[in-house]
Amino acid sequence: AEEGKPEEVEEEPAQAVLGLDFGSGMSIMSVSSVGNAKLPVLVQNRVSSVATPTSVGFREGERLFGDQCYTNDPENTVTDLKFLLGRTREEFDALRGADHSLAQLVECADFAGHMGATVEYLGEPHSFSGEALAAMVLQKLATFPAVGAEAPLVMSVPGQAFGARQRRALRAACQIAGVKLAGFVPDLTASALVYAHTRAQDLAGESKLVLFVDMGRCFFQAQLVEIENRTIRVLASTADTLGGGDFSFR
């Protein structure tokens, strides 16, 4: 450096972090930077939408994802992937019933008897575990952000209705997909954090109780949160496996 002038130090670029709401019906991905106070930026998919159907379909020699599945044979398309994860046939039937999917659902011995599906692929029946099916979608979703799958991923999941076995199965799906999972955050806790951040000026100097409610395709959740100075404290939460999709099937 020149005499009398401070030496310039190059700042390392902020690390990008991916956020994913891996929903039963739709998935939404975002990108943010560590230490950046700005809200995450939503990522658009190949059809310029921020919401991608959480579905995988099979047709002849190709796999279909998201909106492509709308024109595919329903019996060769698997939906509600998140609800298959970590559940046995008995558990699935008790909560959902076999008529909840047009695809042929089966138990997969190589994944502790958890649910999967049998489809026609490459001219013959193929059985895929729920973890493998979810991995196919995760792998595709990871191609949408410019930072790619190398960035760590934080995924939001349902609270009490999505237990330890389901989370282990989702971790397995991320590992199969080659996605670097950094951790999970409950859906409504993520909503509360965003609310506290965006309403910081309105909430300054006061404590406020806020009830967050989410009616998803396969899960219903509610959470009571106390917010004070951008700090949130969860006071109570509840969840059920009754979701909006059940209104179409029951």
Side-chain angles (χ1 to χ4, degrees), residues 78-88 92 105 114-117 128-131 133 166 169:
V78 189
T79 60
D80 295 348
L81 299 180
K82 191 165 65 175
F83 204 84
L84 297 177
L85 295 171
R87 300 188 193 279
T88 64
F92 183 88
L105 302 180
H114 294 165
M115 294 296 294
F128 296 99
S129 66
E131 288 86 340
L133 292 165
Q166 284 74 49

Side-chain angles (χ1 to χ4, degrees), residues 18-90:
L18 299 175
L20 174 62
D21 176 6
F22 190 64
S24 302
M26 292 283 184
S27 290
I28 298 176
M29 182 169 277
S30 65
V31 178
S32 59
S33 299
V34 175
N36 191 335
K38 295 181 180 180
L39 288 174
V41 177
L42 296 180
V43 176
Q44 292 185 341
N45 59 22
R46 297 292 182 259
V47 293
S48 301
S49 173
V50 297
T52 302
T54 313
S55 306
V56 57
F58 301 85
R59 184 171 59 200
E60 297 177 358
E62 62 178 333
R63 291 187 301 195
L64 309 175
F65 299 94
D67 295 274
Q68 294 176 320
C69 295
Y70 289 145
T71 58
N72 195 44
D73 180 1
E75 295 184 1
N76 231 29
T77 301
V78 189
T79 60
D80 295 348
L81 299 180
K82 191 165 65 175
F83 204 84
L84 297 177
L85 295 171
R87 300 188 193 279
T88 64
R89 174 97 241 186
E90 183 178 359

Side-chain angles (χ1 to χ4, degrees), residues 41-233:
V41 177
L42 296 180
V43 176
Q44 292 185 341
N45 59 22
R46 297 292 182 259
V47 293
S48 301
S49 173
V50 297
T52 302
T54 313
S55 306
V56 57
F58 301 85
R59 184 171 59 200
E60 297 177 358
E62 62 178 333
R63 291 187 301 195
L64 309 175
F65 299 94
D67 295 274
Q68 294 176 320
C69 295
Y70 289 145
T71 58
N72 195 44
D73 180 1
E75 295 184 1
N76 231 29
T77 301
V78 189
T79 60
D80 295 348
L81 299 180
K82 191 165 65 175
F83 204 84
L84 297 177
L85 295 171
R87 300 188 193 279
T88 64
R89 174 97 241 186
E90 183 178 359
E91 291 170 333
F92 183 88
D93 286 347
L95 294 171
R96 272 289 177 272
D99 60 346
H100 205 271
S101 174
L102 293 177
Q104 182 183 350
L105 302 180
V106 296
E107 286 185 321
C108 296
D110 56 337
F111 275 85
H114 294 165
M115 294 296 294
T118 297
V119 295
E120 286 289 328
Y121 184 48
L122 299 176
E124 58 183 6
H126 281 262
S127 293
F128 296 99
S129 66
E131 288 86 340
L133 292 165
M136 295 175 193
V137 176
L138 288 169
Q139 198 171 45
K140 186 67 174 181
L141 291 171
T143 66
F144 295 153
V147 295
E150 294 301 314
L153 173 72
V154 177
M155 191 181 304
S156 68
V157 295
Q160 297 167 324
F162 202 75
R165 276 191 293 139
Q166 284 74 49
R167 297 184 188 211
R168 283 197 298 269
L170 195 48
R171 283 186 181 277
C174 289
Q175 188 173 12
I176 295 170
V179 175
K180 295 182 178 180
L181 180 65
F184 296 118
V185 60
D187 289 334
L188 295 185
T189 300
S191 299
L193 288 169
V194 173
Y195 182 87
H197 182 84
T198 57
R199 299 291 298 275
Q201 292 184 340
D202 299 336
L203 300 172
E206 65 173 304
S207 176
K208 188 172 185 179
L209 294 179
V210 183
L211 178 65
F212 294 87
V213 179
D214 174 29
M215 171 63 82
R217 177 175 170 83
C218 293
F219 299 93
F220 175 77
Q221 308 173 76
Q223 185 168 276
L224 181 64
V225 175
E226 181 182 29
I227 302 176
E228 185 174 8
N229 296 326
R230 292 193 182 184
T231 301
I232 71 168
R233 184 160 68 99

